[in-house]
C-alpha cells in the first residue's frame, strides 16, 4: 500500500537561494521535480511507502484551470488502483486554495487527498517544508481522513479545501480557515486528530464528481468608491458567461455597477453577489438581491465562488439550480 505523491511546484519545491533568503527565491529560485523533492526527505519513507507521480514544476501563479483538469484526471486514475490508499500534492501557496477547492468538487474518491505547501524553501533557516511534508503524509495515511474530501495541511493544521484561504504573505500561519476553523490537527506526538468533517457535498457526493468539462469564462468584479461599468463591460465583451460581484459588506454595489449588473442579467449572464468581508462572507438572499436575479454567495471566498459558478455553467445549470448549488455547497 502506498501514497501517490504529485509535485506541482511552488515554494515547497524550491531549492532556494540561501539560508537567509526568504524573498529572492521567488524570482531566482529553481523549482525541483517531485522526485528531487522527496529524495531530500528520506524520513518520509518511515511514514508511508511513496509512489512519485511526475506532474509539473510550476510556480503557483502559472497554474491554470487546464492544469486542474489534468491533475483531477490523473488523480481519478491513480486512486482507482487498489494499492494506492491516498494522495499528497505539493503545491505553491499562492493558488493552493483554488486548486484544492476544484479537486474537492470533482475528484470522485473517498480516499484521502492532501494538498501541502510551504512558506519557506527547505534550505532556509526555520523552514516549514520538512514538517509540512511529513504531516501531509501522516494525514494521508490516517484512517480518519477517509471521506474527508480534499484537505490542506500546513502548520500542523488540517483544513478543508472548501474553507481554507491564504490570509498572509509570509507568515507560517498564512493558511487558515477564517470562517469555520480547521478540521483538525497533527498533535505533538505526531498523531492525527479530527474535530469534525466537512458537512457540505464534496468528492463522491458532489454533483460535479468525475467530470472533466471545460469551464466557461467567469470573471470577478469588485466594488470600490467610484466603481463604474467599465470592468463589467470589458468582461462581457471578452465572452464572460458569469460574473462574481464582490460588493461592500453585506453585499451592495455602487449604482453604476448595479445598473451594469442588471443589464448583464437581462442578457442571460449568471451573476453571484459576494462581499469583501472575510470573517462573514455569506450573502443573505434578501428580496432586493434575488428579486433582481442575482445569486447569493455562500460562505466561501469570491475566488472559490468563481470556480463553483464555472462548474455550474459547464453543466448548463440555470439560475435557480445554480442558486441551489450555492446554498448547498
Amino acid at each position: 500500500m502506498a501514497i501517490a505523491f504529485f509535485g506541482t511546484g511552488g515554494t515547497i519545491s524550491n531549492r532556494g537561494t540561501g539560508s537567509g533568503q526568504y524573498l529572492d527565491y521567488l524570482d531566482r529560485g529553481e523549482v525541483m521535480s517531485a522526485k528531487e523533492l522527496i529524495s531530500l526527505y528520506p524520513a518520509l519513507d518511515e511514514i508511508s511507502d511513496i509512489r512519485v507521480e511526475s506532474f509539473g514544476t510550476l510556480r503557483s501563479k502559472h497554474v491554470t484551470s487546464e492544469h486542474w483538469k489534468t491533475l483531477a484526471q490523473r488523480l481519478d486514475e491513480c486512486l482507482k488502483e487498489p494499492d494506492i490508499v491516498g494522495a499528497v500534492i505539493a503545491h505553491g501557496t499562492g493558488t493552493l486554495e483554488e486548486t484544492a477547492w476544484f479537486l474537492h468538487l470533482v475528484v470522485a474518491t473517498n480516499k484521502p487527498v492532501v494538498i501541502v505547501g510551504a512558506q519557506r524553501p527547505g534550505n532556509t533557516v526555520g523552514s516549514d517544508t520538512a514538517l509540512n511534508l511529513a504531516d501531509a503524509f501522516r494525514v494521508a495515511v490516517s484512517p480518519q481522513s477517509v471521506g474527508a474530501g480534499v484537505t490542506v495541511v500546513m502548520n500542523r493544521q488540517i483544513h478543508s479545501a472548501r474553507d481554507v484561504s491564504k490570509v498572509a504573505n509570509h507568515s507560517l500561519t498564512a493558511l487558515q480557515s477564517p470562517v469555520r476553523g480547521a478540521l483538525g490537527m497533527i498533535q505533538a506526538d505526531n498523531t492525527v486528530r479530527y474535530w469534525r468533517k466537512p458537512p457540505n457535498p464534496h468528492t463522491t457526493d458532489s454533483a460535479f464528481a468525475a467530470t472533466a468539462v471545460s469551464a466557461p469564462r467567469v470573471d470577478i468584479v469588485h466594488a470600490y468608491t467610484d466603481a463604474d461599468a467599465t470592468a463589467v463591460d470589458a468582461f462581457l465583451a471578452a465572452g464572460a458567461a458569469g460574473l462574481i460581484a464582490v460588493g461592500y459588506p453585506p453585499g451592495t454595489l455602487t449604482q453604476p455597477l448595479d445598473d451594469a449588473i442588471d443589464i448583464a442579467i437581462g442578457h442571460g449572464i449568471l451573476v453571484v453577489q459576494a462581499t469583501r468581508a472575510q470573517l462573514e462572507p455569506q450573502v443573505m438572499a434578501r428580496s432586493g438581491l434575488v428579486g433582481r436575479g442575482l445569486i447569493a454567495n455562500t460562505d466561501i471566498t469570491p475566488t472559490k465562488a468563481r470556480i463553483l459558478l464555472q462548474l455550474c455553467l459547464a453543466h448548463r445549470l440555470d439560475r435557480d439550480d445554480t442558486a441551489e448549488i450555492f446554498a448547498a455547497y
Side-chain angles (χ1 to χ4, degrees), residues 1-327:
M1 298 297 179
I3 296 294
F5 178 70
F6 290 80
T8 67
T11 297
I12 195 168
S13 301
N14 202 294
R15 289 191 187 280
T17 56
S19 62
Q21 296 298 327
Y22 300 105
L23 292 176
D24 288 355
Y25 78 93
L26 292 167
D27 302 308
R28 299 192 291 111
E30 179 187 352
V31 180
M32 295 178 283
S33 69
K35 185 176 181 179
E36 291 175 295
L37 175 62
I38 284 294
S39 70
L40 298 177
Y41 304 98
L44 294 174
D45 291 333
E46 299 174 10
I47 301 172
S48 170
D49 291 334
I50 300 170
R51 191 175 87 183
V52 177
E53 300 283 339
S54 298
F55 185 80
T57 54
L58 302 164
R59 297 184 186 277
S60 61
K61 66 180 181 179
H62 295 142
V63 173
T64 69
S65 57
E66 287 302 309
H67 291 120
W68 294 345
K69 187 167 67 173
T70 302
L71 182 56
Q73 291 172 332
R74 293 275 304 278
L75 276 170
D76 272 327
E77 294 166 0
C78 182
L79 293 172
K80 287 176 182 175
E81 299 181 30
D83 61 325
I84 298 297
V85 297
V88 170
I89 303 166
H91 198 290
T93 58
T95 57
L96 182 152
E97 64 201 74
E98 295 179 63
T99 299
W101 174 232
F102 179 82
L103 297 176
H104 191 66
L105 292 171
V106 305
V107 175
T109 186
N110 282 321
K111 294 179 180 180
V113 176
V114 181
I115 303 190
V116 61
Q119 288 290 87
R120 300 171 181 171
N123 70 329
T124 57
V125 175
S127 173
D128 53 338
T129 293
L131 182 60
N132 287 352
L133 272 173
D135 283 347
F137 281 96
R138 291 181 179 114
V139 173
V141 300
S142 171
Q144 298 179 63
S145 299
V146 174
V150 176
T151 58
V152 172
V153 171
M154 286 186 65
N155 195 40
R156 311 232 82 177
Q157 292 188 320
I158 308 165
H159 297 274
S160 172
R162 180 193 185 277
D163 304 329
V164 71
S165 294
K166 187 173 183 180
V167 299
N169 288 322
H170 304 294
S171 169
L172 298 185
T173 60
L175 272 289
Q176 299 183 20
S177 297
V179 179
R180 297 191 177 187
L183 296 178
M185 65 180 293
I186 299 88
Q187 300 182 117
D189 62 357
N190 295 327
T191 56
V192 173
R193 181 183 181 188
Y194 279 84
W195 300 307
R196 63 182 181 89
K197 292 291 180 71
N200 303 78
H202 59 77
T203 52
T204 56
D205 294 327
S206 171
F208 312 109
T211 60
V213 292
S214 294
R217 178 174 183 133
V218 173
D219 289 292
I220 301 176
V221 179
H222 285 261
Y224 50 87
T225 302
D226 297 330
D228 59 18
T230 302
V232 174
D233 293 343
F235 287 140
L236 296 185
L243 294 172
I244 308 298
V246 183
Y248 305 119
T252 60
L253 303 169
T254 63
Q255 191 59 54
L257 269 180
D258 265 332
D259 294 341
I261 291 298
D262 287 341
I263 292 171
I265 292 171
H267 287 124
I269 304 298
L270 293 188
V271 182
V272 173
Q273 181 67 66
T275 87
R276 62 192 192 189
Q278 297 181 28
L279 296 181
E280 191 186 355
Q282 183 170 1
V283 174
M284 298 292 105
R286 62 186 188 275
S287 59
L289 188 151
V290 298
R292 292 165 48 210
L294 285 94
I295 298 163
N297 188 31
T298 184
D299 60 336
I300 56 176
T301 63
T303 51
K304 289 181 181 177
R306 172 184 172 271
I307 294 167
L308 187 55
L309 182 56
Q310 281 187 308
L311 288 170
C312 290
L313 287 166
H315 284 258
R316 303 183 184 280
L317 301 186
D318 62 18
R319 184 224 168 263
D320 290 342
D321 288 339
T322 300
E324 290 183 9
I325 289 289
F326 268 80

